[in-house]
Amino acid sequence: MPGYYRKNGKLTREYGCISEALRVLREDYGLERVDRFGPKALKAVQQRMVEQGWSRKYINKLIGRIVRMFKWGVGEQLVRPGTWHALQAVEGLKKGRTTAPDSDPVEPVSDEVVDATLPHLSEIVADMVRVQRLNGCRPGEVCMLRPQDIDRSQDVWRFKFDKHKMEHRGKQRVIW
């Protein structure tokens, strides 16, 4: 499946996340018959992830990837539908009801910190930070900006990305 998880010739982060989920699964159940893997086994995998200190939301996402792997197996006639259906009954870890930590939300850097940092940056990097600050684009997107690609025909300039994070979903990405 590595070909499916490629974008612009590079493996996506999703491939790495799936590999991480399957690593834990394989350590305890790698030799188990697929039709013997059920909800109790999936909960045991979930608990192993908790014991490794991973965050609750990350664990829930990894468990979801494992369940989707079994769904794929059903579609390929490698897994009985009942096996996948049973795994769907395993609930995700709930906030406050598990020892898995909840990661702190990522907050924006305060304007004071940005303002204090700008004088220490090169002129180009400082301008890149200002562009990000004005339109909320991602750092990689700022790096892709080239003057010749910016439509300056209107009062508000625009840059339309050909390649971006959500292009596989048919979305367009424009920064103003």
Side-chain angles (χ1 to χ4, degrees):
M1 287 289 273
Y4 182 82
Y5 295 103
R6 283 193 182 277
K7 188 173 184 178
N8 303 324
K10 296 180 181 174
L11 283 174
T12 64
R13 287 193 66 233
E14 183 64 12
Y15 182 79
C17 291
I18 291 169
S19 296
E20 185 74 14
L22 294 182
R23 181 184 60 77
V24 177
L25 178 72
R26 279 193 313 263
E27 286 174 1
D28 289 339
Y29 298 96
L31 299 177
E32 191 74 39
R33 289 175 41 117
V34 71
D35 57 345
R36 291 188 171 191
F37 187 83
K40 284 187 177 183
L42 185 60
K43 287 180 181 180
V45 170
Q46 188 181 52
Q47 184 57 38
R48 282 271 317 273
M49 293 175 178
V50 170
E51 291 165 4
Q52 290 188 21
W54 296 348
S55 75
R56 180 183 63 84
K57 285 184 179 180
Y58 184 59
I59 292 169
N60 286 343
K61 287 178 181 180
L62 292 179
I63 295 298
R65 287 176 173 106
I66 291 171
V67 173
R68 283 193 305 279
M69 176 195 66
F70 278 84
K71 177 183 177 183
W72 175 85
V74 170
E76 298 293 316
Q77 294 184 316
L78 300 170
V79 177
R80 292 181 184 158
T83 302
W84 167 56
H85 183 71
L87 295 179
Q88 289 177 297
V90 175
E91 293 190 25
L93 301 174
K94 305 273 191 264
K95 185 175 179 71
R97 300 194 179 261
T98 177
T99 57
D102 273 303
S103 49
D104 295 331
V106 177
E107 300 288 335
V109 176
S110 71
D111 286 337
E112 293 78 24
V113 170
V114 174
D115 289 336
T117 304
L118 286 173
H120 303 283
L121 302 175
S122 70
E123 185 178 345
I124 292 173
V125 173
D127 286 342
M128 292 169 79
V129 169
R130 289 184 190 102
V131 167
Q132 269 191 277
R133 191 184 217 183
L134 290 171
N135 63 33
C137 64
R138 298 174 180 93
E141 292 173 336
V142 163
C143 292
M144 290 171 41
L145 289 174
R146 299 181 313 170
Q148 63 264 33
D149 296 330
I150 299 171
D151 178 1
R152 292 177 266 188
S153 63
Q154 306 289 324
D155 288 340
V156 178
W157 298 355
R158 76 180 218 145
F159 179 83
K160 184 177 174 185
F161 291 90
D162 294 329
K163 307 245 182 262
H164 58 89
K165 183 176 179 176
M166 299 300 282
E167 70 182 283
H168 67 283
R169 297 205 176 186
K171 307 245 183 209
Q172 290 189 348
R173 177 75 172 126
V174 178
I175 59 170
W176 301 92

